[in-house]
Amino acid sequence: MKELSLNILDAAMNSLRAGATLVSVAISETASALCITVADNGCGIPHERLCRLRDPFFTTRPGRGIGLGVPLFALAAEQTGGGLAVASRHIAKHPKTHGTVIRASFNKDSIDMTPLGDIASTVVAAVSYGNGADIIFRHETPLWCILFDTRALRCGGRDADLSSPAVLSLIDEYIRGQYVGLCPENEK
């Protein structure tokens, strides 16, 4: 994929398809390293499927013969000298503590480092697709932290329609506004 934000979106969409009611996307940066974590409380991945996640010819989605999301995310990380790890607890074995965590680490100094991309649009797309699931987004460096949490929009009994175009536009503006002056590549 041309941007890491597309890998993040793919992982978030998989979380939502797995029935997650809470998806957390965390980006942590230092001068030389980038770590992306997508965690959810979805149904989890059974062990036999977890072992095949990096196989591009394995997918659980009907009508598809390939599943490139995890293999491409892993490749993007590994080509910088980083890596990707997936941990999951399936609902059948862990009925109260199920979910999945994908963590990718990158060496930002690598010539093969993929750009982060349009993260605001990624978060908006996840919220739009979320069907009521909550999305938490955090992008942190040693100098600043950007945070967005859909639960804040629901506090006080308000049940905002997060999929409405007007609300999605406000979310996009809010996230982009936090990046102004901090991270020029996200000021699109």
Side-chain angles (χ1 to χ4, degrees):
M1 293 189 201
K2 292 195 275 186
E3 300 177 342
L4 294 175
S5 60
L6 297 174
N7 297 105
I8 295 168
L9 182 59
D10 180 64
M13 294 302 192
N14 286 338
S15 295
L16 294 167
R17 280 191 288 275
T21 58
L22 181 64
V23 179
S24 172
V25 175
I27 303 170
S28 177
E29 286 189 69
T30 65
S32 61
L34 173 76
C35 181
I36 298 171
T37 305
V38 180
D40 69 54
N41 66 352
C43 65
I45 304 167
H47 179 72
E48 60 277 1
R49 288 185 181 168
L50 192 60
C51 295
R52 298 190 63 201
L53 278 183
R54 290 177 185 245
D55 177 354
F57 299 105
F58 172 74
T59 183
T60 59
R61 291 179 60 191
R64 291 200 165 183
I66 58 172
L68 294 176
V70 172
L72 288 177
F73 203 9
L75 177 64
E78 291 164 358
Q79 69 187 7
T80 71
L84 182 127
V86 180
S88 192
R89 296 168 66 93
H90 191 259
I91 193 168
K93 289 189 176 185
H94 306 278
K96 294 184 180 180
T97 58
H98 51 85
T100 301
V101 177
I102 297 175
R103 183 167 288 120
S105 59
F106 301 84
N107 176 358
K108 289 170 49 176
D109 297 329
S110 171
I111 193 168
D112 293 318
M113 179 66 192
T114 304
L116 183 57
D118 187 356
I119 197 66
S121 291
T122 295
V123 175
V124 168
V127 171
S128 172
Y129 184 81
N131 294 329
D134 282 308
I135 309 292
I136 301 169
F137 169 69
R138 181 182 192 93
H139 187 169
E140 189 170 13
T141 74
L143 299 175
W144 48 263
C145 180
I146 291 171
L147 181 63
F148 171 74
D149 189 337
T150 58
R151 297 174 300 181
L153 299 174
R154 301 183 204 278
C155 70
R158 295 181 303 216
D159 195 18
D161 178 9
L162 300 183
S163 65
S164 81
V167 172
L168 293 171
S169 179
L170 289 172
I171 292 169
D172 185 73
E173 277 182 45
Y174 176 76
I175 293 170
R176 288 182 197 285
Q178 291 186 72
Y179 279 105
V180 171
L182 299 176
C183 195
E185 66 267 16
N186 284 304
E187 292 180 22
K188 295 179 182 172

